[in-house]
Amino acid sequence: MALITLRHERHAASAGARAGDRPLYAIGDVHGCYDHLHALLAWVASDAAERSPGVAPVLVLLGDYVDRGPDSAKVLAALAWLARSSAITARLLEGNHEAMFRLFMERPAAHGQWLRYGGSETLRSYGIAPPEEEVPDAAALTALRDRLFDVMPVAHFRLLERLEPMVRVGDYTFVHAGVRPGVSLRAQQRDDLLWIRDDFLEHPRPAETIVVHGHTWASERPVLLPHRIGLDTGAYETGVLSALRIDRDGLAVVQAVAAG
């Protein structure tokens, strides 16, 4: 296991924003960085037990659990365990990388491009060597999918099938990529929740709530604005995975940082 350290920052919450009556946490895009996730889950458990003894916290994970990093299989195993735990209410959002992964498993010949967007690393995490060809043919892609079916635990499939598109808690809405400005939260389209960028990021007030999201990152620092909070900090490249605690005292950002 890699050596991971935690760093903490306090921030003011948006004026008047409410976060419900239970401890509320969120974690950004994991992308196969299991050691970082493990460190943040331990912090959430310890922090919640200290601040609100006997109350199960709510933890929202913002999607993109797989691809690019080295340990996607271990991440999915951890999340499958987390989803069964009675000590925490885990709300697991779907990211665009989970969507691509599922499409590859459903129709591999039509969705082989997943391999170029981190899918090869996910296959390696299951002990499967990706193809050497830059553009494998349909037969090779189908055979690759079939080998994945042979080794991937059923719990991982079920987890991917049950991911949520959106979670709302108090005055905060959690999505993977963002929301379409000018469209009510109830009427949002799945593709926008998974893929939107500039139309959402550049809008001064894209939703009626504060939006907490992942999907887009520019540095190892999260983005904290009055109308949105971006928690993706490019863990697979920067070595920094970010988490957020929201409560009546404000916001706390905790980052799991790979040593060195």
PDB file of all heavy atoms in Angstrom, residues 156-178:
ATOM      1  N   HIS A 156     -19.480  -6.634  -8.412  1.00  0.00           N
ATOM      2  CA  HIS A 156     -19.030  -5.462  -9.152  1.00  0.00           C
ATOM      3  C   HIS A 156     -20.039  -5.096 -10.242  1.00  0.00           C
ATOM      4  O   HIS A 156     -20.339  -3.923 -10.457  1.00  0.00           O
ATOM      5  CB  HIS A 156     -17.660  -5.712  -9.769  1.00  0.00           C
ATOM      6  CG  HIS A 156     -16.575  -5.926  -8.775  1.00  0.00           C
ATOM      7  ND1 HIS A 156     -15.237  -5.861  -9.110  1.00  0.00           N
ATOM      8  CD2 HIS A 156     -16.600  -6.208  -7.435  1.00  0.00           C
ATOM      9  CE1 HIS A 156     -14.505  -6.094  -8.034  1.00  0.00           C
ATOM     10  NE2 HIS A 156     -15.313  -6.326  -7.018  1.00  0.00           N
ATOM     11  N   PHE A 157     -20.571  -6.118 -10.935  1.00  0.00           N
ATOM     12  CA  PHE A 157     -21.600  -5.856 -11.934  1.00  0.00           C
ATOM     13  C   PHE A 157     -22.823  -5.204 -11.297  1.00  0.00           C
ATOM     14  O   PHE A 157     -23.372  -4.227 -11.806  1.00  0.00           O
ATOM     15  CB  PHE A 157     -22.027  -7.164 -12.613  1.00  0.00           C
ATOM     16  CG  PHE A 157     -21.024  -7.731 -13.558  1.00  0.00           C
ATOM     17  CD1 PHE A 157     -20.346  -8.889 -13.236  1.00  0.00           C
ATOM     18  CD2 PHE A 157     -20.746  -7.130 -14.774  1.00  0.00           C
ATOM     19  CE1 PHE A 157     -19.417  -9.433 -14.104  1.00  0.00           C
ATOM     20  CE2 PHE A 157     -19.823  -7.663 -15.648  1.00  0.00           C
ATOM     21  CZ  PHE A 157     -19.158  -8.828 -15.305  1.00  0.00           C
ATOM     22  N   ARG A 158     -23.269  -5.764 -10.190  1.00  0.00           N
ATOM     23  CA  ARG A 158     -24.467  -5.239  -9.531  1.00  0.00           C
ATOM     24  C   ARG A 158     -24.257  -3.811  -9.057  1.00  0.00           C
ATOM     25  O   ARG A 158     -25.167  -2.975  -9.145  1.00  0.00           O
ATOM     26  CB  ARG A 158     -24.849  -6.144  -8.361  1.00  0.00           C
ATOM     27  CG  ARG A 158     -25.372  -7.510  -8.823  1.00  0.00           C
ATOM     28  CD  ARG A 158     -25.674  -8.410  -7.652  1.00  0.00           C
ATOM     29  NE  ARG A 158     -26.257  -9.675  -8.095  1.00  0.00           N
ATOM     30  CZ  ARG A 158     -26.421 -10.735  -7.312  1.00  0.00           C
ATOM     31  NH1 ARG A 158     -26.024 -10.690  -6.040  1.00  0.00           N
ATOM     32  NH2 ARG A 158     -26.963 -11.829  -7.787  1.00  0.00           N
ATOM     33  N   LEU A 159     -23.068  -3.532  -8.558  1.00  0.00           N
ATOM     34  CA  LEU A 159     -22.771  -2.172  -8.129  1.00  0.00           C
ATOM     35  C   LEU A 159     -22.894  -1.200  -9.301  1.00  0.00           C
ATOM     36  O   LEU A 159     -23.529  -0.143  -9.188  1.00  0.00           O
ATOM     37  CB  LEU A 159     -21.357  -2.112  -7.551  1.00  0.00           C
ATOM     38  CG  LEU A 159     -20.894  -0.737  -7.079  1.00  0.00           C
ATOM     39  CD1 LEU A 159     -21.449  -0.452  -5.694  1.00  0.00           C
ATOM     40  CD2 LEU A 159     -19.383  -0.630  -7.078  1.00  0.00           C
ATOM     41  N   LEU A 160     -22.301  -1.538 -10.439  1.00  0.00           N
ATOM     42  CA  LEU A 160     -22.339  -0.663 -11.605  1.00  0.00           C
ATOM     43  C   LEU A 160     -23.759  -0.453 -12.117  1.00  0.00           C
ATOM     44  O   LEU A 160     -24.088   0.616 -12.640  1.00  0.00           O
ATOM     45  CB  LEU A 160     -21.464  -1.240 -12.720  1.00  0.00           C
ATOM     46  CG  LEU A 160     -19.959  -1.257 -12.437  1.00  0.00           C
ATOM     47  CD1 LEU A 160     -19.231  -2.095 -13.471  1.00  0.00           C
ATOM     48  CD2 LEU A 160     -19.391   0.158 -12.406  1.00  0.00           C
ATOM     49  N   GLU A 161     -24.615  -1.454 -11.956  1.00  0.00           N
ATOM     50  CA  GLU A 161     -26.000  -1.342 -12.404  1.00  0.00           C
ATOM     51  C   GLU A 161     -26.840  -0.454 -11.509  1.00  0.00           C
ATOM     52  O   GLU A 161     -27.896   0.045 -11.927  1.00  0.00           O
ATOM     53  CB  GLU A 161     -26.639  -2.734 -12.467  1.00  0.00           C
ATOM     54  CG  GLU A 161     -26.091  -3.616 -13.574  1.00  0.00           C
ATOM     55  CD  GLU A 161     -26.623  -5.029 -13.510  1.00  0.00           C
ATOM     56  OE1 GLU A 161     -27.191  -5.418 -12.463  1.00  0.00           O
ATOM     57  OE2 GLU A 161     -26.470  -5.748 -14.507  1.00  0.00           O
ATOM     58  N   ARG A 162     -26.409  -0.230 -10.263  1.00  0.00           N
ATOM     59  CA  ARG A 162     -27.228   0.485  -9.281  1.00  0.00           C
ATOM     60  C   ARG A 162     -26.753   1.896  -8.987  1.00  0.00           C
ATOM     61  O   ARG A 162     -27.257   2.554  -8.072  1.00  0.00           O
ATOM     62  CB  ARG A 162     -27.265  -0.324  -7.980  1.00  0.00           C
ATOM     63  CG  ARG A 162     -27.945  -1.686  -8.138  1.00  0.00           C
ATOM     64  CD  ARG A 162     -27.768  -2.548  -6.911  1.00  0.00           C
ATOM     65  NE  ARG A 162     -28.390  -3.860  -7.088  1.00  0.00           N
ATOM     66  CZ  ARG A 162     -28.269  -4.867  -6.231  1.00  0.00           C
ATOM     67  NH1 ARG A 162     -27.532  -4.722  -5.140  1.00  0.00           N
ATOM     68  NH2 ARG A 162     -28.865  -6.018  -6.468  1.00  0.00           N
ATOM     69  N   LEU A 163     -25.798   2.390  -9.743  1.00  0.00           N
ATOM     70  CA  LEU A 163     -25.291   3.737  -9.508  1.00  0.00           C
ATOM     71  C   LEU A 163     -26.377   4.773  -9.794  1.00  0.00           C
ATOM     72  O   LEU A 163     -27.204   4.607 -10.688  1.00  0.00           O
ATOM     73  CB  LEU A 163     -24.069   3.993 -10.381  1.00  0.00           C
ATOM     74  CG  LEU A 163     -22.878   3.064 -10.128  1.00  0.00           C
ATOM     75  CD1 LEU A 163     -21.769   3.347 -11.134  1.00  0.00           C
ATOM     76  CD2 LEU A 163     -22.354   3.205  -8.701  1.00  0.00           C
ATOM     77  N   GLU A 164     -26.352   5.865  -9.043  1.00  0.00           N
ATOM     78  CA  GLU A 164     -27.383   6.889  -9.128  1.00  0.00           C
ATOM     79  C   GLU A 164     -26.951   8.048 -10.036  1.00  0.00           C
ATOM     80  O   GLU A 164     -25.762   8.362 -10.122  1.00  0.00           O
ATOM     81  CB  GLU A 164     -27.686   7.450  -7.734  1.00  0.00           C
ATOM     82  CG  GLU A 164     -28.181   6.420  -6.742  1.00  0.00           C
ATOM     83  CD  GLU A 164     -28.527   7.051  -5.402  1.00  0.00           C
ATOM     84  OE1 GLU A 164     -29.572   7.737  -5.321  1.00  0.00           O
ATOM     85  OE2 GLU A 164     -27.758   6.878  -4.448  1.00  0.00           O
ATOM     86  N   PRO A 165     -27.899   8.735 -10.668  1.00  0.00           N
ATOM     87  CA  PRO A 165     -27.540   9.879 -11.503  1.00  0.00           C
ATOM     88  C   PRO A 165     -27.360  11.176 -10.719  1.00  0.00           C
ATOM     89  O   PRO A 165     -26.602  12.060 -11.132  1.00  0.00           O
ATOM     90  CB  PRO A 165     -28.723   9.998 -12.464  1.00  0.00           C
ATOM     91  CG  PRO A 165     -29.884   9.453 -11.683  1.00  0.00           C
ATOM     92  CD  PRO A 165     -29.315   8.344 -10.836  1.00  0.00           C
ATOM     93  N   MET A 166     -28.065  11.307  -9.587  1.00  0.00           N
ATOM     94  CA  MET A 166     -28.084  12.569  -8.851  1.00  0.00           C
ATOM     95  C   MET A 166     -28.523  12.301  -7.417  1.00  0.00           C
ATOM     96  O   MET A 166     -29.352  11.423  -7.164  1.00  0.00           O
ATOM     97  CB  MET A 166     -29.056  13.554  -9.515  1.00  0.00           C
ATOM     98  CG  MET A 166     -29.216  14.884  -8.808  1.00  0.00           C
ATOM     99  SD  MET A 166     -30.562  15.896  -9.526  1.00  0.00           S
ATOM    100  CE  MET A 166     -29.970  16.124 -11.202  1.00  0.00           C
ATOM    101  N   VAL A 167     -27.959  13.055  -6.475  1.00  0.00           N
ATOM    102  CA  VAL A 167     -28.363  12.983  -5.070  1.00  0.00           C
ATOM    103  C   VAL A 167     -28.544  14.410  -4.575  1.00  0.00           C
ATOM    104  O   VAL A 167     -27.682  15.265  -4.798  1.00  0.00           O
ATOM    105  CB  VAL A 167     -27.307  12.263  -4.199  1.00  0.00           C
ATOM    106  CG1 VAL A 167     -27.645  12.388  -2.716  1.00  0.00           C
ATOM    107  CG2 VAL A 167     -27.208  10.789  -4.599  1.00  0.00           C
ATOM    108  N   ARG A 168     -29.649  14.662  -3.902  1.00  0.00           N
ATOM    109  CA  ARG A 168     -29.880  15.990  -3.323  1.00  0.00           C
ATOM    110  C   ARG A 168     -30.017  15.873  -1.818  1.00  0.00           C
ATOM    111  O   ARG A 168     -30.775  15.037  -1.313  1.00  0.00           O
ATOM    112  CB  ARG A 168     -31.123  16.629  -3.920  1.00  0.00           C
ATOM    113  CG  ARG A 168     -31.364  18.049  -3.396  1.00  0.00           C
ATOM    114  CD  ARG A 168     -32.413  18.784  -4.196  1.00  0.00           C
ATOM    115  NE  ARG A 168     -32.673  20.104  -3.632  1.00  0.00           N
ATOM    116  CZ  ARG A 168     -33.509  20.991  -4.152  1.00  0.00           C
ATOM    117  NH1 ARG A 168     -34.166  20.705  -5.273  1.00  0.00           N
ATOM    118  NH2 ARG A 168     -33.700  22.166  -3.567  1.00  0.00           N
ATOM    119  N   VAL A 169     -29.266  16.692  -1.089  1.00  0.00           N
ATOM    120  CA  VAL A 169     -29.316  16.738   0.371  1.00  0.00           C
ATOM    121  C   VAL A 169     -29.388  18.208   0.775  1.00  0.00           C
ATOM    122  O   VAL A 169     -28.435  18.967   0.558  1.00  0.00           O
ATOM    123  CB  VAL A 169     -28.078  16.082   1.023  1.00  0.00           C
ATOM    124  CG1 VAL A 169     -28.203  16.132   2.550  1.00  0.00           C
ATOM    125  CG2 VAL A 169     -27.906  14.644   0.552  1.00  0.00           C
ATOM    126  N   GLY A 170     -30.505  18.611   1.351  1.00  0.00           N
ATOM    127  CA  GLY A 170     -30.659  19.997   1.748  1.00  0.00           C
ATOM    128  C   GLY A 170     -30.503  20.924   0.554  1.00  0.00           C
ATOM    129  O   GLY A 170     -31.156  20.749  -0.486  1.00  0.00           O
ATOM    130  N   ASP A 171     -29.613  21.892   0.679  1.00  0.00           N
ATOM    131  CA  ASP A 171     -29.388  22.867  -0.382  1.00  0.00           C
ATOM    132  C   ASP A 171     -28.238  22.482  -1.306  1.00  0.00           C
ATOM    133  O   ASP A 171     -27.732  23.324  -2.060  1.00  0.00           O
ATOM    134  CB  ASP A 171     -29.101  24.235   0.231  1.00  0.00           C
ATOM    135  CG  ASP A 171     -30.320  24.808   0.951  1.00  0.00           C
ATOM    136  OD1 ASP A 171     -31.444  24.620   0.455  1.00  0.00           O
ATOM    137  OD2 ASP A 171     -30.144  25.415   2.021  1.00  0.00           O
ATOM    138  N   TYR A 172     -27.828  21.213  -1.271  1.00  0.00           N
ATOM    139  CA  TYR A 172     -26.722  20.732  -2.091  1.00  0.00           C
ATOM    140  C   TYR A 172     -27.216  19.630  -3.021  1.00  0.00           C
ATOM    141  O   TYR A 172     -27.944  18.722  -2.608  1.00  0.00           O
ATOM    142  CB  TYR A 172     -25.586  20.201  -1.217  1.00  0.00           C
ATOM    143  CG  TYR A 172     -24.911  21.269  -0.396  1.00  0.00           C
ATOM    144  CD1 TYR A 172     -25.418  21.652   0.846  1.00  0.00           C
ATOM    145  CD2 TYR A 172     -23.771  21.924  -0.866  1.00  0.00           C
ATOM    146  CE1 TYR A 172     -24.807  22.647   1.596  1.00  0.00           C
ATOM    147  CE2 TYR A 172     -23.148  22.917  -0.124  1.00  0.00           C
ATOM    148  CZ  TYR A 172     -23.670  23.272   1.106  1.00  0.00           C
ATOM    149  OH  TYR A 172     -23.073  24.265   1.844  1.00  0.00           O
ATOM    150  N   THR A 173     -26.809  19.712  -4.274  1.00  0.00           N
ATOM    151  CA  THR A 173     -27.088  18.664  -5.257  1.00  0.00           C
ATOM    152  C   THR A 173     -25.767  18.086  -5.722  1.00  0.00           C
ATOM    153  O   THR A 173     -24.844  18.822  -6.094  1.00  0.00           O
ATOM    154  CB  THR A 173     -27.858  19.225  -6.462  1.00  0.00           C
ATOM    155  OG1 THR A 173     -29.120  19.719  -6.020  1.00  0.00           O
ATOM    156  CG2 THR A 173     -28.091  18.141  -7.510  1.00  0.00           C
ATOM    157  N   PHE A 174     -25.673  16.767  -5.697  1.00  0.00           N
ATOM    158  CA  PHE A 174     -24.452  16.058  -6.068  1.00  0.00           C
ATOM    159  C   PHE A 174     -24.674  15.362  -7.409  1.00  0.00           C
ATOM    160  O   PHE A 174     -25.624  14.589  -7.574  1.00  0.00           O
ATOM    161  CB  PHE A 174     -24.087  15.029  -5.000  1.00  0.00           C
ATOM    162  CG  PHE A 174     -23.846  15.612  -3.629  1.00  0.00           C
ATOM    163  CD1 PHE A 174     -24.909  15.891  -2.779  1.00  0.00           C
ATOM    164  CD2 PHE A 174     -22.558  15.887  -3.193  1.00  0.00           C
ATOM    165  CE1 PHE A 174     -24.694  16.431  -1.509  1.00  0.00           C
ATOM    166  CE2 PHE A 174     -22.328  16.426  -1.939  1.00  0.00           C
ATOM    167  CZ  PHE A 174     -23.392  16.700  -1.103  1.00  0.00           C
ATOM    168  N   VAL A 175     -23.796  15.641  -8.368  1.00  0.00           N
ATOM    169  CA  VAL A 175     -23.829  14.987  -9.677  1.00  0.00           C
ATOM    170  C   VAL A 175     -22.388  14.719 -10.096  1.00  0.00           C
ATOM    171  O   VAL A 175     -21.454  15.248  -9.490  1.00  0.00           O
ATOM    172  CB  VAL A 175     -24.536  15.854 -10.733  1.00  0.00           C
ATOM    173  CG1 VAL A 175     -26.011  16.016 -10.413  1.00  0.00           C
ATOM    174  CG2 VAL A 175     -23.874  17.214 -10.862  1.00  0.00           C
ATOM    175  N   HIS A 176     -22.217  13.941 -11.150  1.00  0.00           N
ATOM    176  CA  HIS A 176     -20.854  13.668 -11.583  1.00  0.00           C
ATOM    177  C   HIS A 176     -20.238  14.863 -12.309  1.00  0.00           C
ATOM    178  O   HIS A 176     -19.211  15.395 -11.893  1.00  0.00           O
ATOM    179  CB  HIS A 176     -20.781  12.438 -12.473  1.00  0.00           C
ATOM    180  CG  HIS A 176     -19.402  12.229 -13.038  1.00  0.00           C
ATOM    181  ND1 HIS A 176     -18.315  11.984 -12.235  1.00  0.00           N
ATOM    182  CD2 HIS A 176     -18.918  12.316 -14.314  1.00  0.00           C
ATOM    183  CE1 HIS A 176     -17.218  11.898 -12.978  1.00  0.00           C
ATOM    184  NE2 HIS A 176     -17.563  12.103 -14.245  1.00  0.00           N
ATOM    185  N   ALA A 177     -20.842  15.273 -13.421  1.00  0.00           N
ATOM    186  CA  ALA A 177     -20.216  16.290 -14.264  1.00  0.00           C
ATOM    187  C   ALA A 177     -20.775  17.687 -14.030  1.00  0.00           C
ATOM    188  O   ALA A 177     -20.036  18.669 -14.077  1.00  0.00           O
ATOM    189  CB  ALA A 177     -20.390  15.919 -15.734  1.00  0.00           C
ATOM    190  N   GLY A 178     -22.063  17.794 -13.810  1.00  0.00           N
ATOM    191  CA  GLY A 178     -22.717  19.086 -13.663  1.00  0.00           C
ATOM    192  C   GLY A 178     -24.158  18.981 -14.117  1.00  0.00           C
ATOM    193  O   GLY A 178     -24.686  17.886 -14.317  1.00  0.00           O
TER     194      GLY A 178
END
